[in-house]
Amino acid sequence: MPGKSLFAELRERKVPQAAAIYVAVAWGVTEIAVTVVEQLFLPQWVATLAVIVFVVGFPIAMFLAWTFDITSGGIERTEVTSRRGQASIAFATLLLMAGTASLFLLIKPSLQDTVEPSGPMPVAPNSIAVLPFDNASSDPDDAYLSEGLSDELRDQLGRVADLRIAARSSSLAAADQRMDAMTASANLSVAHIVEGSLRRQGDRVRVSVQLIEGRTGLSVWSDTFERGACELLVVQQSIADEIVRRVLPDIEQSASEPATRNADANELMLLAKHYENQVRSRAIRDDATLLKSISLYRQATEAAPESALAHSRLAGALLYLGDLDAAEAPIFRALSLNPNLAEVQNTLGQYYWARGLPGARAAYRRAVELDPHFAPALANYANEIWVNPDDLDISSADPESYFRRALEVDPLSLERLSALGTYLGQDGQFDEVMPVIQEIRELFDNAESYRVIAWLYELLGELDVAIAWTIRARDLEPQNRDHVSKLADLYSLIGDAETALRLEPEPGPGLLFNLRRYDELIDIAEMRMIEEPSDADIRYLLGFAYMATRQHEQAIRILGSTGLLDSMLDTGPRSVIEIEAFQMLVSAMAASDIPEAVETARALAEWQDEFAYWGDVGWVALFKGCNKATLGEDQAVLELLPGIKESSRLRRDAYLRDFPCFERFADEPVYRDVLRDQDARRASLRQRLPGTLAEFGVSL
């Protein structure tokens, strides 16, 4: 009798039926396992293990199905006597094993993706987060002591070279979200958590503190200190020394000195920093509270004139206020006392930056060298090398890496996420912005985060979504008029002037600029200049309005009064807005009737043409195109302008239509096509907006 084929033998032995039953059972059990894991919050490896067991068991089940038969008499082994039958068994077994191995290799990547994130993230064993201490006093006004002690302890430990300390904002966010030690450790990527409380009773303070192992949530050290109020510095130093000893047992290292050894100055600095933090954490400016902080810092510098940090923090508060002249003496006094503090170098960089003087980037770089985990310096340095990439000593530096390092140090900070998202959006890396938005949504749920999300969607050109998020912010904070002003700005950008003016019946300079109502803008901005002479943004808007109305000499006067020309030539640009304002000045000079100004404009345009233009292709096309027009390179302008259409972000109509550099291109098909494209996109956004608002469940 002719030998049976392999597939005939498989059918005869009912192997296909057994395989079908096995796959069906395996699929059902796996689905149940996945559901149970999700609902009971079991580890993901439980479901993964079920998949692995069924894959590995498949060839075994098929071999048993081939070898044994289920009969009325029970399970019987199938006898195979022919060589053909024995070869078929061997071949079938090899085939099953090869197929199973192939299946396992196919699903291996997805199994790894499933398993790996469930494991603990690697963290440095020398990393610590100091959570804000609880105010256990009966008087809520004593909160500045508990808050200040944790802040100073964090800063003091941060000056220990071998320790890595989580940033203040992320530590506060972890406490605000009421994370336990293990959760905070995982979210902040630190190995240890420090938490405690402070109680003041009369002239005594009682401080309880514990150092917790983040992986287990177990306390590895705790202590309670009861001292006189003037001995708080002694307590702080004792805690710092013990933490260093516990976290760095194999390194001969000790805690650094506190900001001051003077007890009176220390308490003044704690209260000053408390007020300053209140101001910096608010969306609305509060100069009265900031001045109170400045006064206390001054008293601290008088009580402890040898404290570099007291002088540096006074300078920092003055810079935040905008009093650059007053900030000069304390920052250079701090520098003379101790130039090797990252905080001092960072404040020095801020002073140079605000003044438009050379040295800002060198100071920021030095701050990063002194403390590679100091988030403010990392962010400032990132911004500096982003907006001014032509400086030869940093030309190879990657700003994104520093923005991400700042976020890595300060992972729960909305400010750091906003800075990274802004960089990515303005640099034209639009695909990278959405993960930042998603992370903000997962971490925050407040008006401030809604506004950041709205701004990032604005960078993406999705102004309808930006409007929806801004409405959400307004609904959470109806008393904050800034949200309403931003809504008016967004509506004007999509070409809905009627709604914008209904929201802001008395439009400010920014809205008038968007609406291209330059005569009104000039009247209001001239008055604002008298009230706020140091506000450069008002001068930029006023200068553009004069330029757009062909009052070029007035535009040159206003824009020149900002010190823009000197700062650009001496140090390069400090921000995107400064580059745009510089282009306004060059364009006004080139369009004027003053031969010397026209000649200067060409020289400045040639100087600016040497810059390595960076960023979103639409922004580059607009401003590089304007500069090329000033140089008379019309063909280059026509080649650049289509780049505006390639960008997902809309350009402001005032820039496109009212820059003098584009006047002679008014009838060029390329230029007209760009204008039509922008108008069509605004119309599309207006059409989409009602559906977007309905989707978000909000209304104007």
Side-chain angles (χ1 to χ4, degrees), residues 319-336:
L319 288 172
Y320 195 75
L321 180 67
D323 193 344
L324 308 187
D325 292 336
E328 181 175 353
I331 185 53
F332 283 105
R333 175 62 176 156
L335 191 66
S336 68

Side-chain angles (χ1 to χ4, degrees), residues 550-568:
R550 293 176 170 77
Q551 302 179 64
H552 301 305
E553 291 185 33
Q554 288 286 68
I556 295 169
R557 176 181 63 84
I558 294 299
L559 292 168
S561 69
T562 62
L564 176 66
L565 191 56
D566 289 339
S567 66
M568 283 286 288

Side-chain angles (χ1 to χ4, degrees), residues 605-625:
E606 289 175 348
W607 174 80
Q608 186 162 337
D609 202 45
E610 297 293 324
F611 276 16
Y613 280 86
W614 44 262
D616 168 26
V617 63
W619 184 89
V620 171
L622 180 65
F623 287 95
K624 187 174 184 179

Side-chain angles (χ1 to χ4, degrees), residues 164-165 167 342 346 363-386 398-410 416 419:
R164 178 177 173 181
I165 309 300
N346 186 59
Y364 291 144
R365 184 170 60 248
R366 178 60 179 152
V368 171
E369 290 169 354
L370 289 167
D371 186 353
H373 307 296
F374 188 38
L378 288 166
N380 287 334
Y381 187 50
N383 188 70
E384 184 67 28
I385 61 178
W386 169 34
D398 175 20
E400 183 178 345
S401 66
Y402 285 97
F403 279 118
R404 291 194 181 277
R405 278 175 57 185
L407 180 60
E408 182 182 326
V409 174
D410 203 359
R416 305 292 167 233

Side-chain angles (χ1 to χ4, degrees), residues 76-130:
E76 296 180 357
R77 181 180 177 85
T78 303
E79 295 294 334
V80 179
T81 57
S82 69
R83 291 182 178 179
R84 177 70 176 269
Q86 292 172 345
S88 295
I89 291 176
F91 179 72
T93 303
L94 289 173
L95 184 65
L96 284 172
M97 293 179 67
T100 304
S102 299
L103 178 62
F104 187 80
L105 290 174
L106 182 66
I107 69 170
K108 182 181 177 182
S110 61
L111 291 176
Q112 288 178 329
D113 290 343
T114 303
V115 174
E116 287 174 5
S118 65
M121 294 293 290
V123 296
N126 60 339
S127 55
I128 306 172
V130 181

Side-chain angles (χ1 to χ4, degrees), residues 236-350:
Q236 177 183 319
Q237 188 66 48
S238 299
I239 295 172
D241 287 339
E242 188 62 29
I243 290 173
V244 171
R245 189 179 72 81
R246 297 272 179 172
V247 176
L248 302 174
D250 300 325
I251 300 176
E252 287 294 329
Q253 180 67 279
S254 59
S256 61
E257 290 288 309
T260 176
R261 285 289 187 180
N262 184 292
D264 293 334
N266 182 62
E267 184 151 356
L268 287 166
M269 288 174 67
L270 295 184
L271 189 54
K273 195 168 188 179
H274 172 74
Y275 287 131
E276 183 184 2
N277 287 337
Q278 283 185 1
V279 175
R280 289 181 181 268
S281 65
R282 293 174 185 166
I284 303 173
R285 190 177 176 97
D286 182 1
D287 285 353
T289 302
L290 186 57
L291 287 169
K292 190 185 297 185
S293 171
I294 289 169
S295 175
L296 290 163
Y297 277 133
R298 285 195 191 282
Q299 295 175 52
T301 60
E302 292 166 1
E306 79 293 341
S307 172
L309 288 174
H311 291 282
S312 177
R313 290 172 189 175
L314 170 59
L318 288 164
L319 288 172
Y320 195 75
L321 180 67
D323 193 344
L324 308 187
D325 292 336
E328 181 175 353
I331 185 53
F332 283 105
R333 175 62 176 156
L335 191 66
S336 68
L337 288 167
N338 192 342
N340 295 321
L341 292 175
E343 185 177 330
V344 171
Q345 289 291 340
N346 186 59
T347 306
L348 178 65
Q350 292 173 324

Side-chain angles (χ1 to χ4, degrees), residues 14-29 54 58 61-62 65 70:
K14 299 180 181 180
V15 173
Q17 295 94 318
I21 295 171
Y22 186 92
V23 170
V25 172
W27 184 270
V29 172
F54 282 119
F58 182 72
M62 296 305 96
I70 300 177

